Amino acid sequence: MKQIIAIIKPAAVERVKHALHELGHFPGFTLLHVHGESRGRAPGHAYAPVEWDFEEHDNAMMLMFCADEFAPAVIDAIRNAAHTGRPGDGVIAVSEISEMVRIRTDEHGAAAV
């Protein structure tokens, strides 16, 4: 099983959500509104002091779980829907999940996804 975290621009959420709904196996997701600071704006992404504008750093974080075989399609759907080619399009992180339990049904492992 995989945990997929995508940090994207709020404007891309509806496009990503639509792309996920088009998949054969919609993974479901949790959406969080987050604030962050990019790697930096100086050459080589080094830190360069600039006036802090918190509104420039609003992002959305989508958290989802899926079976291993669905992960590549989920990642591609997110990447294609969130891509604009401009700085700040976001990142996708993928982690291995060793165990999952669905609280309501007590299903374990892949059955819980």
Side-chain angles (χ1 to χ4, degrees):
M1 291 171 292
K2 301 286 191 229
Q3 175 187 33
I4 300 173
I5 298 173
I7 300 175
I8 58 175
K9 290 294 181 192
V13 169
E14 285 303 314
R15 293 191 312 268
V16 171
K17 186 163 62 167
H18 181 73
L20 291 172
H21 279 262
E22 289 183 346
L23 295 175
H25 173 51
F26 175 63
F29 61 86
T30 299
L31 179 65
L32 302 148
H33 298 284
V34 296
H35 304 287
E37 186 172 340
S38 63
R39 294 189 298 177
R41 297 183 177 156
H45 297 288
Y47 174 75
V50 294
E51 184 176 332
W52 178 254
D53 181 0
F54 207 66
E55 294 302 312
E56 287 185 4
H57 300 284
D58 285 345
N59 288 302
M61 183 167 74
M62 298 179 91
L63 168 66
M64 60 204 78
F65 304 98
C66 67
D68 290 342
E69 63 267 21
F70 298 122
V74 170
I75 294 163
D76 285 345
I78 296 167
R79 183 177 39 83
N80 292 333
H83 179 265
T84 67
R86 294 187 301 266
D89 274 350
V91 296
I92 302 169
V94 181
S95 301
E96 188 68 34
I97 299 296
S98 62
E99 181 61 44
M100 181 173 284
V101 178
R102 183 170 299 277
I103 295 170
R104 179 178 55 88
T105 61
D106 199 34
E107 294 169 295
H108 288 253
V113 178

